[in-house]
Amino acid sequence: MAEAAAQNKDQDKDPAFVEVRDNPAREAAREMVVLAGGGVQLENWAQVVDLAKYMSTSGFCVRKELRNNVGACIAIIDLATRWGFSHWQLARVCYVINDVLCFESQVIHAVIEKFAPLKLRLRVRYDGEGDKRKAVIIGHFKGELDPVEYESPEIGKISPKNSPLWKTDPDQQLFYLASQRWAKRYCPDVLLGIHDVDQVNEASPIGFDNAKDVTPNLGRRLMAGGDNNFAEEKTMAGIDGALNAARGEPST
């Protein structure tokens, strides 16, 4: 009895317990079932939101991009639930780069092995040495007679190489890159919308702020107006020339 009283006293000092007890909106958290093997069983949307709120205030237990960001934590919980991973494990191996949620290469590989309809795990073969080294990924789908392969570019032709593994363990990084590209070629539904850290680093930032003007001075030319004997044919030719230049095509 004394031990239980002491525990209740400690809980009274914890804002999280006070919120659950005193706020009716947090009633869902009290009904979460803790599973014997770890984790919790989520039965409804209210419980997902409650778990996300606690995750967002868990400090170093989640990546900084998830701290005080309930919506992002909900996304991680959703993916972890779909993939059968721990929410907390997934929350420590995600990043936000160029405003895109992405994951470490080991996460992508784990998703491929778990959800691609493979008869056996992916196999890898390496050919060449130095800058000529490349990886060949072999995967054998269930119900198919022959395996399918993907051959990576030579390591010297891969750019950029942001991961330190390109220097310390290039074969491992080649395997990660080739296995992802194998999956995107042969079973793209498995990785739909899921990005790797290196893959996102390769891409240029997107969005309006990073848009390129492919028709320089177009506005000024169009505003030349009738007062200056505006020639429609000349303006259209200028527009066509600007578009051709943007496409890298010769002007006509």
Side-chain angles (χ1 to χ4, degrees), residues 181-216:
R181 293 186 179 181
W182 178 93
K184 289 178 180 180
R185 174 174 294 182
Y186 296 113
C187 48
D189 52 305
V190 173
L191 294 182
L192 189 63
I194 305 303
H195 302 284
D196 171 82
V197 172
D198 270 0
Q199 172 193 350
V200 175
N201 270 327
E202 291 175 7
S204 300
I206 59 176
F208 179 80
D209 292 339
N210 299 292
K212 179 182 178 181
D213 182 7
V214 297
T215 56

Side-chain angles (χ1 to χ4, degrees), residues 100-112:
V100 175
L101 179 65
C102 49
F103 298 91
E104 291 184 3
S105 299
Q106 61 176 322
V107 177
I108 310 297
H109 180 219
V111 172
I112 296 170

Side-chain angles (χ1 to χ4, degrees), residues 12-235:
D12 288 339
K13 298 178 182 179
D14 189 327
F17 281 101
V18 173
E19 182 190 15
V20 171
R21 186 190 63 218
D22 297 342
N23 188 347
R26 301 282 66 78
E27 193 70 25
R30 302 174 64 178
E31 299 174 358
M32 289 184 191
V33 177
V34 179
L35 302 175
V40 294
Q41 182 174 317
L42 300 172
E43 298 288 351
N44 52 55
W45 178 248
Q47 291 182 355
V48 172
V49 173
D50 273 359
L51 178 57
K53 288 184 176 181
Y54 290 124
M55 285 184 68
S56 71
T57 60
S58 62
F60 57 82
C61 291
V62 299
R63 295 282 304 177
K64 63 181 181 180
E65 293 87 353
L66 303 181
R67 297 169 195 167
N68 300 314
N69 191 333
V70 175
C73 288
I74 289 175
I76 293 298
I77 292 170
D78 177 73
L79 290 172
T81 302
R82 293 173 186 270
W83 292 339
F85 300 158
S86 162
H87 313 123
W88 300 103
Q89 287 178 321
L90 199 61
R92 290 192 290 271
V93 290
C94 66
Y95 302 83
V96 175
I97 300 175
N98 293 339
D99 207 31
V100 175
L101 179 65
C102 49
F103 298 91
E104 291 184 3
S105 299
Q106 61 176 322
V107 177
I108 310 297
H109 180 219
V111 172
I112 296 170
E113 295 286 7
K114 189 168 185 177
F115 292 101
L118 293 168
K119 183 182 296 186
L120 301 167
R121 285 182 172 269
L122 294 178
R123 296 291 185 266
V124 61
R125 182 181 75 247
Y126 297 99
D127 296 326
E129 297 295 335
D131 284 348
K132 297 291 186 180
R133 191 133 173 106
K134 56 188 177 182
V136 178
I137 296 294
I138 305 104
H140 199 157
F141 288 115
K142 296 175 181 176
E144 295 191 4
L145 294 177
D146 300 316
V148 290
E149 297 184 356
Y150 171 83
E151 181 178 285
S152 77
E154 295 175 352
I155 197 169
K157 296 180 180 179
I158 297 172
S159 178
K161 299 183 182 72
N162 296 297
S163 171
L165 285 180
W166 286 114
K167 292 183 178 180
T168 61
D169 194 353
D171 279 359
Q172 181 66 42
Q173 199 62 22
L174 263 178
F175 172 74
Y176 281 147
L177 179 141
S179 61
Q180 290 175 39
R181 293 186 179 181
W182 178 93
K184 289 178 180 180
R185 174 174 294 182
Y186 296 113
C187 48
D189 52 305
V190 173
L191 294 182
L192 189 63
I194 305 303
H195 302 284
D196 171 82
V197 172
D198 270 0
Q199 172 193 350
V200 175
N201 270 327
E202 291 175 7
S204 300
I206 59 176
F208 179 80
D209 292 339
N210 299 292
K212 179 182 178 181
D213 182 7
V214 297
T215 56
N217 302 319
L218 176 61
R220 179 174 56 77
R221 295 200 304 274
L222 289 177
M223 293 299 292
D227 293 340
N228 296 319
N229 297 319
F230 177 77
E232 180 179 357
E233 292 82 7
K234 184 176 181 179
T235 300

